[in-house]
Amino acid sequence: MENTKKLGELVEQAASAINAASPSGSKELGHLQTTLAQISEQIDKTNNIPEELSVRAKDATNAACELVNDIADPKADDAEQSLQTITQTISALQILAEQASEGSEIRDMDIQFPPLVGENEHVIVISEEDMSLVVDFADEAEENIESIESSLLRLEDDPNHDEVLDSIFRGFHTIKGSAGFVHLDDMVSLSHAAESLLDITRTRNLSLTSSEINVILESLDMMKNMIADLRTMAQSGQPAIKQENLPQLLDQLKGRTEDKSLTTSIDTVESEETDQDSDEILSAKTESAVTSTTDLPQDKHCSNEDKTGVHGHKTNVENEKIRVSTKRLDSLVNMVGELVIAQSMVTQHANDYTSDRENFRQQIHHQNRIVNEIQELSMSMRMVPIGGVFQKIARLVRDLSQKAGKDINLTISGEETELDRNVIGLISDPLVHMIRNSIGHGIECSDERTKAGKEAAGNIRLSAYHKSGNIVIELADDGKGLDRQRILRKAIDNGIVQPHQELSEQETYSLIFRAGLSTAQEVTDISGRGVGMDVVKKNIESLHGKIDISSVPGKGATFTIRLPLTLAIIDGQIIRVGNNRYIIPLVCVCESLQIEAEQVSSVHGLCEMVLVRGELFPVVNLHRLFDIIPTSENVADKSLLVIVESGNEKCCLKVDELLDQQQVVVKSLGEGVGYVKGISGAAILGDGRVSLILDIPNLVELARS
């Protein structure tokens, strides 16, 4: 304990010394250096520090001791950085000494020492003061990268479009200026190298080759990785590792720039002067970006006014965008949801009054209209265009078509269509897998297409539009379509389907969503392993959506996805089972009907089946599943059933009564309740009672199993 106490005293002395230290105070610096040396020796004498942690602590302390010399050197440029590193080391030593004095086991992960001098060459360290600026820079840089990537793909189709080339150049220049402001040197170097290649291209009326565009796209991919690392660093507080391949990529960009310069027989010095001139021309733009960045801690900033989008039009100044905290936005949506619940309670109470209260009912109706408008407005704040996802798909089609050696044209429409930001996050993966499937399985190679009388280049059409309160996403190609017989044979071989089992066309096509089923003759890095399409189905069903497939042999296939605009509010059918009420998402309801006794049969006395128009459906008895007392135990004469659908599979839910259809605010069950089989959430109805929302995909799977 004596050694532990001594270590704590020395660390506190070092903390006092660093607070008083300054480059001109040689006495204080000398005392600090002596104290750090004593701490290094004392760490060896403290027995309850794990060996690995002890080595790290000693190395960091010795490194801090050496850095004191940098502070005292009047010629040193990094005295402030050295002082900051020493302060971080002493802070870590304080935690170490405190935990050692408690006599308990020291938690290694709780103590983070700054990287050593040699390690600094491979990591990025951001000060706490700059961290908020870096996070806001990441948001702005992502927008610029997205715009640049979209414009590059457009430029590849139209190499002589000068405005698009200029917008790409401006995007890189903005990133370079903002990155320099927050001291992200690697980002500055990479954006400057790409900017130089673009500058020599645009100032000498040249065109970017496909290989040059590939290198620039690689630069954007690396920038995305850098930004992802910055976000991780902001969350964890750990230094970010520098990009290992950055030097090679910089050499590629510089080499392309030099090759272009030599091709036009222009001295490299002139290129540097031109680049310097372009910096001066765009200085106003950079200053604007820096000003925006410095204002960002106020939680809002205008979008880049000069940023040119995919279609080459500039953002309207009157339509300024404000970056709102997601936490605040979600809180607003939740509060509006509570307001909707309170309003429904008042409305139901008003309906119980007699007709002489007509004036009161009119006032309630007016209030109800206002609440609905507020609700729609708040939900619209969560809506974002699907264009961002479509842009990633455009890049994916380009890369995969080159890898597959196929010439493919992608047509996109409806990218301005908006849907909930949570839906956006989950729809990206399904679209990626569907595109890979289309390129790997659907689109034929040029020779095969020519023999079939088609154009040599394949076509993929991706579109989005609103219909009946839902968003519809269509992915169509003009390839060879789905081979129904081949899918069926593969399903039989895998034991998914029985040899004599008859399936409809839609049921056969839905088999491609089974994990492990692939009709590809060979496995490539694009597709063929039988994984991916099952992810499509799971993700879409988790969004309470549907996917349909239509295909014409030799002509192509179309995948149609139908999704709700938002996951926060759904239209539901309220049912009663026993004394309990449940909600079925209306998008899953096919029909409701009363059945006759002769329509009911059982399988081995265990599973009840119902025959409806020649088709058998399994029955889910909700009273057995949720252990409640129903009106009747079995499916008997005149029983009320609701046929629900998930994907292409259906089942029947036995209910006691159909009540009302209404819009409800979805609430999660919370960590205290956790997962409940057959339940996806809850909602508060107009009378204040809680009603559970049925998980239809889970119930259908349960019935089919």
Side-chain angles (χ1 to χ4, degrees), residues 131-145 178 182 184 187 223 226-228 230-231 293 296 323:
M131 191 60 72
S132 61
L133 294 178
V134 169
V135 172
D136 292 324
F137 160 77
D139 293 335
E140 183 181 352
E142 282 179 339
E143 293 178 4
N144 281 296
I145 289 172
S178 299
V182 290
L184 298 175
M187 186 80 77
M223 286 183 176
M226 289 178 176
I227 291 172
L230 289 174
R231 292 192 184 281
T293 307
L296 286 176
R323 183 169 285 114

Side-chain angles (χ1 to χ4, degrees), residues 502-517:
E502 293 186 5
L503 298 177
S504 66
E505 182 179 86
Q506 197 60 230
E507 288 174 332
T508 304
Y509 290 154
S510 68
L511 291 173
I512 68 173
F513 297 119
R514 295 293 187 98
L517 191 145

Side-chain angles (χ1 to χ4, degrees), residues 541-570:
E541 288 186 347
S542 71
L543 296 169
H544 306 298
K546 294 182 179 180
I547 180 168
D548 297 319
I549 306 173
S550 61
S551 178
V552 178
K555 299 294 184 182
T558 301
F559 292 81
T560 304
I561 300 172
R562 292 177 174 83
L563 298 169
L565 292 178
T566 177
L567 301 180
I569 294 178
I570 64 169

Side-chain angles (χ1 to χ4, degrees), residues 305 315-320:
E305 293 181 9
T315 305
N316 192 330
V317 176
E318 295 179 358
N319 188 26
E320 291 182 343

Side-chain angles (χ1 to χ4, degrees), residues 341-610:
I341 294 169
Q343 173 63 29
S344 63
M345 292 179 182
V346 174
T347 302
Q348 180 162 326
H349 184 262
N351 290 334
D352 295 334
Y353 279 80
T354 56
S355 57
D356 60 346
R357 303 284 184 171
E358 186 62 30
N359 186 43
F360 176 67
R361 288 198 182 94
Q362 289 179 0
Q363 292 176 346
I364 290 294
H365 177 73
H366 177 67
Q367 183 184 3
N368 193 50
R369 181 177 61 81
I370 295 174
V371 169
N372 288 337
E373 289 177 358
I374 295 175
Q375 178 188 8
E376 291 177 5
L377 176 61
S378 66
M379 295 309 302
S380 70
M381 295 175 66
R382 294 178 60 97
M383 308 296 275
V384 293
I386 199 171
V389 175
F390 280 10
Q391 179 185 311
K392 296 175 184 176
I393 296 300
R395 169 74 186 278
L396 181 68
V397 170
R398 176 191 182 275
D399 294 346
L400 292 182
S401 60
Q402 288 185 355
K403 189 176 291 186
K406 298 178 181 180
D407 189 9
I408 299 176
N409 298 320
L410 174 66
T411 304
I412 292 178
S413 62
E415 58 265 45
E416 72 283 351
T417 305
E418 293 185 333
L419 68 164
D420 193 287
R421 48 179 284 272
N422 291 335
V423 178
I424 285 279
L426 291 174
I427 197 59
S428 181
D429 279 351
L431 287 177
V432 167
H433 289 299
M434 290 164 66
I435 284 290
R436 297 179 77 93
N437 187 69
S438 179
I439 295 175
H441 295 282
I443 303 292
E444 312 95 329
C445 62
S446 298
D447 293 342
E448 190 177 344
R449 291 179 63 86
T450 303
K451 290 178 182 178
K454 298 180 179 180
E455 295 179 355
N459 294 285
I460 295 178
R461 178 175 54 83
L462 183 61
S463 60
Y465 55 90
H466 289 139
K467 183 179 181 181
S468 301
N470 291 327
I471 182 172
V472 180
I473 302 173
E474 287 186 356
L475 177 64
D477 65 60
D478 64 347
K480 54 191 174 185
L482 297 179
D483 189 334
R484 183 180 176 185
Q485 295 303 320
R486 191 170 181 177
I487 294 172
L488 195 55
R489 286 196 303 270
K490 194 70 175 181
I492 293 173
D493 292 341
N494 288 9
I496 298 174
V497 176
Q498 299 302 316
H500 302 294
Q501 186 175 348
E502 293 186 5
L503 298 177
S504 66
E505 182 179 86
Q506 197 60 230
E507 288 174 332
T508 304
Y509 290 154
S510 68
L511 291 173
I512 68 173
F513 297 119
R514 295 293 187 98
L517 191 145
S518 175
T519 59
Q521 295 180 344
E522 61 178 336
V523 176
T524 68
D525 55 358
I526 296 177
S527 62
R529 297 187 183 275
V531 296
M533 294 303 285
D534 60 318
V535 175
V536 173
K537 181 181 179 183
K538 289 177 181 177
N539 279 29
I540 291 173
E541 288 186 347
S542 71
L543 296 169
H544 306 298
K546 294 182 179 180
I547 180 168
D548 297 319
I549 306 173
S550 61
S551 178
V552 178
K555 299 294 184 182
T558 301
F559 292 81
T560 304
I561 300 172
R562 292 177 174 83
L563 298 169
L565 292 178
T566 177
L567 301 180
I569 294 178
I570 64 169
D571 291 317
Q573 170 66 59
I574 304 174
I575 61 171
R576 181 180 62 81
V577 179
N579 293 324
N580 297 328
R581 291 180 296 178
Y582 298 92
I583 299 171
I584 305 174
L586 209 54
V587 69
C588 300
V589 176
C590 298
E591 61 178 307
S592 59
L593 68 162
Q594 282 188 317
I595 58 169
E596 305 293 335
E598 56 267 21
Q599 293 178 261
V600 182
S601 60
S602 63
V603 179
H604 304 299
L606 298 174
C607 176
E608 292 176 313
M609 305 290 289
V610 174

